[in-house]
Short mmCIF file of all heavy atoms in Angstrom, two decimals:
data_model
loop_
_atom_site.label_atom_id
_atom_site.label_comp_id
_atom_site.label_asym_id
_atom_site.label_seq_id
_atom_site.Cartn_x
_atom_site.Cartn_y
_atom_site.Cartn_z
N GLY A 226 64.71 -18.51 33.92
CA GLY A 226 64.13 -18.23 32.53
C GLY A 226 63.97 -16.74 32.34
O GLY A 226 63.71 -15.96 33.28
N ASN A 227 64.11 -16.33 31.05
CA ASN A 227 64.07 -14.92 30.66
C ASN A 227 62.74 -14.67 29.95
O ASN A 227 62.57 -15.05 28.82
CB ASN A 227 65.25 -14.64 29.70
CG ASN A 227 65.19 -13.28 29.00
OD1 ASN A 227 64.43 -12.39 29.44
ND2 ASN A 227 65.89 -13.17 27.93
N ALA A 228 61.87 -13.93 30.61
CA ALA A 228 60.62 -13.55 29.99
C ALA A 228 60.59 -12.18 29.33
O ALA A 228 59.57 -11.74 28.85
CB ALA A 228 59.50 -13.62 31.10
N GLY A 229 61.71 -11.51 29.30
CA GLY A 229 61.81 -10.20 28.66
C GLY A 229 62.48 -9.18 29.54
O GLY A 229 62.82 -9.37 30.73
N ARG A 230 62.68 -8.02 28.91
CA ARG A 230 63.29 -6.90 29.65
C ARG A 230 62.37 -6.27 30.65
O ARG A 230 62.79 -5.80 31.64
CB ARG A 230 63.74 -5.90 28.62
CG ARG A 230 64.28 -4.59 29.20
CD ARG A 230 65.40 -4.75 30.20
NE ARG A 230 65.76 -3.58 30.85
CZ ARG A 230 65.19 -2.99 31.89
NH1 ARG A 230 64.10 -3.57 32.43
NH2 ARG A 230 65.56 -1.85 32.41
N GLY A 231 61.05 -6.25 30.36
CA GLY A 231 60.14 -5.66 31.30
C GLY A 231 59.96 -4.14 31.13
O GLY A 231 60.19 -3.59 30.04
N LEU A 232 59.61 -3.47 32.18
CA LEU A 232 59.27 -2.02 32.15
C LEU A 232 60.57 -1.22 31.78
O LEU A 232 61.59 -1.40 32.42
CB LEU A 232 58.73 -1.59 33.46
CG LEU A 232 58.28 -0.12 33.56
CD1 LEU A 232 57.03 0.14 32.70
CD2 LEU A 232 58.02 0.26 35.03
N VAL A 233 60.48 -0.33 30.86
CA VAL A 233 61.50 0.58 30.46
C VAL A 233 60.97 2.02 30.31
O VAL A 233 59.71 2.19 30.15
CB VAL A 233 62.24 0.19 29.17
CG1 VAL A 233 62.91 -1.17 29.31
CG2 VAL A 233 61.29 0.20 27.99
N PHE A 234 61.83 2.95 30.37
CA PHE A 234 61.54 4.36 30.16
C PHE A 234 62.66 4.99 29.30
O PHE A 234 63.81 4.77 29.70
CB PHE A 234 61.23 5.17 31.42
CG PHE A 234 60.50 6.46 31.09
CD1 PHE A 234 59.19 6.54 31.09
CD2 PHE A 234 61.27 7.61 30.81
CE1 PHE A 234 58.47 7.70 30.81
CE2 PHE A 234 60.62 8.78 30.51
CZ PHE A 234 59.22 8.79 30.49
N PRO A 235 62.34 5.71 28.23
CA PRO A 235 63.41 6.35 27.45
C PRO A 235 64.02 7.49 28.10
O PRO A 235 63.70 8.69 27.81
CB PRO A 235 62.65 6.67 26.12
CG PRO A 235 61.22 6.80 26.53
CD PRO A 235 60.98 5.83 27.62
N GLY A 236 64.90 7.32 29.04
CA GLY A 236 65.42 8.36 29.85
C GLY A 236 66.23 9.38 29.06
O GLY A 236 66.20 10.59 29.34
N ARG A 237 66.97 8.92 28.05
CA ARG A 237 67.78 9.86 27.26
C ARG A 237 66.90 10.93 26.60
O ARG A 237 67.26 12.16 26.48
CB ARG A 237 68.55 9.13 26.16
CG ARG A 237 69.89 8.53 26.61
CD ARG A 237 70.66 7.98 25.46
NE ARG A 237 71.92 7.37 25.95
CZ ARG A 237 71.98 6.12 26.40
NH1 ARG A 237 70.90 5.34 26.54
NH2 ARG A 237 73.14 5.63 26.86
N VAL A 238 65.70 10.50 26.14
CA VAL A 238 64.74 11.44 25.54
C VAL A 238 64.42 12.49 26.53
O VAL A 238 64.15 13.68 26.25
CB VAL A 238 63.53 10.74 24.93
CG1 VAL A 238 62.53 11.75 24.34
CG2 VAL A 238 64.03 9.68 23.92
N GLY A 239 64.25 12.04 27.80
CA GLY A 239 63.95 13.01 28.88
C GLY A 239 65.13 13.64 29.48
O GLY A 239 65.08 14.27 30.57
N ARG A 240 66.36 13.59 28.83
CA ARG A 240 67.51 14.27 29.29
C ARG A 240 67.99 13.82 30.61
O ARG A 240 68.40 14.54 31.53
CB ARG A 240 67.39 15.79 29.20
CG ARG A 240 67.26 16.26 27.75
CD ARG A 240 67.17 17.76 27.64
NE ARG A 240 65.94 18.31 28.15
CZ ARG A 240 64.77 18.28 27.49
NH1 ARG A 240 64.72 17.82 26.25
NH2 ARG A 240 63.70 18.82 28.02
N THR A 241 67.94 12.53 30.84
CA THR A 241 68.42 11.91 32.06
C THR A 241 69.03 10.51 31.78
O THR A 241 69.03 10.08 30.64
CB THR A 241 67.31 11.83 33.20
OG1 THR A 241 67.87 11.40 34.42
CG2 THR A 241 66.20 10.89 32.77
N ASN A 242 69.50 9.82 32.79
CA ASN A 242 70.09 8.51 32.55
C ASN A 242 69.01 7.46 32.42
O ASN A 242 67.83 7.57 32.91
CB ASN A 242 70.98 8.15 33.69
CG ASN A 242 70.33 8.14 35.05
OD1 ASN A 242 69.62 9.09 35.41
ND2 ASN A 242 70.59 7.11 35.88
N GLU A 243 69.43 6.37 31.72
CA GLU A 243 68.52 5.25 31.50
C GLU A 243 69.28 3.96 31.69
O GLU A 243 70.52 3.91 31.87
CB GLU A 243 67.82 5.29 30.17
CG GLU A 243 68.82 5.14 28.95
CD GLU A 243 68.18 5.41 27.58
OE1 GLU A 243 67.02 5.92 27.55
OE2 GLU A 243 68.84 5.10 26.61
N SER A 244 68.58 2.81 31.69
CA SER A 244 69.13 1.49 31.93
C SER A 244 70.30 1.23 30.97
O SER A 244 70.21 1.50 29.80
CB SER A 244 68.03 0.45 31.80
OG SER A 244 68.65 -0.87 31.76
N PRO A 245 71.36 0.44 31.39
CA PRO A 245 72.35 0.04 30.50
C PRO A 245 71.87 -1.03 29.48
O PRO A 245 72.57 -1.32 28.50
CB PRO A 245 73.41 -0.60 31.43
CG PRO A 245 72.69 -0.98 32.64
CD PRO A 245 71.61 0.05 32.79
N THR A 246 70.66 -1.53 29.68
CA THR A 246 70.06 -2.42 28.71
C THR A 246 69.25 -1.81 27.65
O THR A 246 68.59 -2.42 26.86
CB THR A 246 69.18 -3.51 29.46
OG1 THR A 246 68.01 -2.76 30.03
CG2 THR A 246 69.95 -4.23 30.59
N LEU A 247 69.25 -0.41 27.54
CA LEU A 247 68.40 0.30 26.69
C LEU A 247 69.16 1.46 26.04
O LEU A 247 70.04 2.04 26.66
CB LEU A 247 67.21 0.84 27.49
CG LEU A 247 66.06 1.55 26.72
CD1 LEU A 247 65.26 0.52 25.94
CD2 LEU A 247 65.12 2.32 27.65
N TYR A 248 68.81 1.78 24.76
CA TYR A 248 69.22 2.97 24.18
C TYR A 248 68.02 3.66 23.50
O TYR A 248 67.31 3.05 22.73
CB TYR A 248 70.36 2.76 23.14
CG TYR A 248 70.85 4.08 22.58
CD1 TYR A 248 71.82 4.79 23.24
CD2 TYR A 248 70.30 4.58 21.41
CE1 TYR A 248 72.24 5.98 22.75
CE2 TYR A 248 70.77 5.82 20.89
CZ TYR A 248 71.71 6.51 21.53
OH TYR A 248 72.15 7.73 21.08
N SER A 249 67.75 4.94 23.84
CA SER A 249 66.64 5.61 23.25
C SER A 249 67.14 6.92 22.57
O SER A 249 68.09 7.48 22.89
CB SER A 249 65.57 6.00 24.31
OG SER A 249 66.12 6.96 25.19
N SER A 250 66.38 7.30 21.54
CA SER A 250 66.58 8.60 20.86
C SER A 250 65.24 9.07 20.37
O SER A 250 64.27 8.40 20.40
CB SER A 250 67.57 8.38 19.71
OG SER A 250 67.06 7.53 18.77
N SER A 251 65.20 10.36 19.86
CA SER A 251 63.94 10.93 19.53
C SER A 251 64.09 11.89 18.35
O SER A 251 65.25 12.40 18.08
CB SER A 251 63.30 11.64 20.69
OG SER A 251 64.12 12.71 21.13
N LYS A 252 62.98 12.23 17.72
CA LYS A 252 62.83 13.30 16.76
C LYS A 252 61.65 14.20 17.16
O LYS A 252 60.71 13.69 17.69
CB LYS A 252 62.65 12.75 15.38
CG LYS A 252 63.76 11.88 14.83
CD LYS A 252 63.49 11.34 13.46
CE LYS A 252 64.59 10.46 12.95
NZ LYS A 252 64.22 9.83 11.69
N GLY A 253 61.78 15.50 16.96
CA GLY A 253 60.74 16.36 17.36
C GLY A 253 60.98 16.78 18.83
O GLY A 253 61.93 16.45 19.48
N LEU A 254 60.06 17.66 19.33
CA LEU A 254 60.21 18.21 20.68
C LEU A 254 59.41 17.40 21.68
O LEU A 254 58.21 17.27 21.54
CB LEU A 254 59.69 19.67 20.66
CG LEU A 254 59.79 20.39 22.03
CD1 LEU A 254 61.23 20.56 22.44
CD2 LEU A 254 59.15 21.78 21.89
N TRP A 255 60.14 16.88 22.62
CA TRP A 255 59.50 16.13 23.76
C TRP A 255 59.82 16.85 25.08
O TRP A 255 60.95 17.04 25.45
CB TRP A 255 60.07 14.71 23.86
CG TRP A 255 59.62 13.83 22.68
CD1 TRP A 255 60.25 13.67 21.52
CD2 TRP A 255 58.46 13.02 22.64
NE1 TRP A 255 59.59 12.79 20.69
CE2 TRP A 255 58.50 12.33 21.41
CE3 TRP A 255 57.47 12.70 23.55
CZ2 TRP A 255 57.47 11.44 21.03
CZ3 TRP A 255 56.43 11.80 23.18
CH2 TRP A 255 56.44 11.20 21.94
N GLU A 256 58.73 17.25 25.83
CA GLU A 256 58.88 17.81 27.15
C GLU A 256 58.97 16.65 28.13
O GLU A 256 58.45 15.59 27.90
CB GLU A 256 57.71 18.70 27.48
CG GLU A 256 57.58 19.95 26.61
CD GLU A 256 56.35 20.76 26.97
OE1 GLU A 256 55.97 20.71 28.18
OE2 GLU A 256 55.76 21.33 26.09
N ASN A 257 59.65 16.87 29.23
CA ASN A 257 59.78 15.85 30.26
C ASN A 257 59.41 16.36 31.68
O ASN A 257 59.53 17.60 31.92
CB ASN A 257 61.17 15.23 30.25
CG ASN A 257 62.22 16.20 30.81
OD1 ASN A 257 62.48 16.31 31.97
ND2 ASN A 257 62.82 17.00 29.87
N LYS A 258 59.04 15.47 32.49
CA LYS A 258 58.75 15.76 33.92
C LYS A 258 59.31 14.63 34.76
O LYS A 258 58.96 13.51 34.59
CB LYS A 258 57.30 15.98 34.18
CG LYS A 258 57.03 16.25 35.72
CD LYS A 258 55.60 16.26 36.08
CE LYS A 258 55.40 16.38 37.56
NZ LYS A 258 53.96 16.44 37.96
N ARG A 259 60.21 14.96 35.68
CA ARG A 259 60.66 14.03 36.72
C ARG A 259 59.69 13.99 37.89
O ARG A 259 59.05 15.06 38.20
CB ARG A 259 62.08 14.40 37.17
CG ARG A 259 63.16 14.14 36.10
CD ARG A 259 64.43 14.73 36.54
NE ARG A 259 64.76 14.38 37.86
CZ ARG A 259 65.75 15.00 38.61
NH1 ARG A 259 66.42 16.04 38.04
NH2 ARG A 259 66.11 14.61 39.81
N MET A 260 59.57 12.86 38.54
CA MET A 260 58.56 12.76 39.55
C MET A 260 58.73 13.63 40.77
O MET A 260 57.74 14.02 41.49
CB MET A 260 58.41 11.31 40.06
CG MET A 260 59.58 10.81 40.90
SD MET A 260 59.33 9.02 41.31
CE MET A 260 57.64 8.91 41.74
N ILE A 261 59.99 14.12 40.99
CA ILE A 261 60.16 15.02 42.17
C ILE A 261 59.63 16.45 41.99
O ILE A 261 59.49 17.16 42.94
CB ILE A 261 61.66 15.11 42.56
CG1 ILE A 261 62.50 15.69 41.43
CG2 ILE A 261 62.19 13.74 42.92
CD1 ILE A 261 63.95 16.00 41.80
N TYR A 262 59.32 16.75 40.72
CA TYR A 262 58.77 18.14 40.46
C TYR A 262 57.24 17.98 40.53
O TYR A 262 56.54 18.11 39.49
CB TYR A 262 59.27 18.63 39.19
CG TYR A 262 60.79 18.78 39.15
CD1 TYR A 262 61.54 18.17 38.13
CD2 TYR A 262 61.41 19.55 40.10
CE1 TYR A 262 62.91 18.33 38.10
CE2 TYR A 262 62.80 19.68 40.04
CZ TYR A 262 63.53 19.08 39.06
OH TYR A 262 64.94 19.20 39.05
N VAL A 263 56.69 17.95 41.72
CA VAL A 263 55.29 17.65 41.88
C VAL A 263 54.36 18.78 41.44
O VAL A 263 53.15 18.54 41.14
CB VAL A 263 55.03 17.31 43.39
CG1 VAL A 263 55.71 16.06 43.72
CG2 VAL A 263 55.44 18.41 44.28
N ASN A 264 54.87 19.99 41.36
CA ASN A 264 54.08 21.16 40.98
C ASN A 264 54.00 21.36 39.43
O ASN A 264 53.28 22.21 38.94
CB ASN A 264 54.55 22.41 41.62
CG ASN A 264 54.38 22.38 43.14
OD1 ASN A 264 53.42 21.81 43.65
ND2 ASN A 264 55.34 22.94 43.88
N GLN A 265 54.83 20.58 38.72
CA GLN A 265 54.70 20.65 37.29
C GLN A 265 53.46 20.04 36.75
O GLN A 265 52.94 19.12 37.38
CB GLN A 265 55.99 19.96 36.68
CG GLN A 265 56.47 20.52 35.42
CD GLN A 265 57.78 19.85 34.99
OE1 GLN A 265 58.68 19.65 35.84
NE2 GLN A 265 57.92 19.50 33.73
N GLN A 266 52.98 20.46 35.62
CA GLN A 266 51.64 20.13 35.19
C GLN A 266 51.50 18.64 34.86
O GLN A 266 50.49 17.99 35.15
CB GLN A 266 51.18 20.95 34.06
CG GLN A 266 49.71 20.80 33.64
CD GLN A 266 49.24 21.74 32.61
OE1 GLN A 266 50.04 22.63 32.16
NE2 GLN A 266 48.00 21.69 32.29
#
Side-chain angles (χ1 to χ4, degrees):
N227 169 20
R230 173 54 186 83
L232 183 69
V233 298
F234 194 91
R237 275 186 183 84
V238 178
R240 296 183 287 281
T241 187
N242 57 313
E243 64 189 14
S244 169
T246 64
L247 187 71
Y248 184 84
S249 69
S250 60
S251 64
K252 297 176 183 177
L254 179 64
W255 291 88
E256 297 178 29
N257 70 87
K258 176 187 174 180
R259 291 168 49 195
M260 73 183 316
I261 62 171
Y262 299 123
V263 294
N264 294 324
Q265 209 172 319
Q266 188 173 1

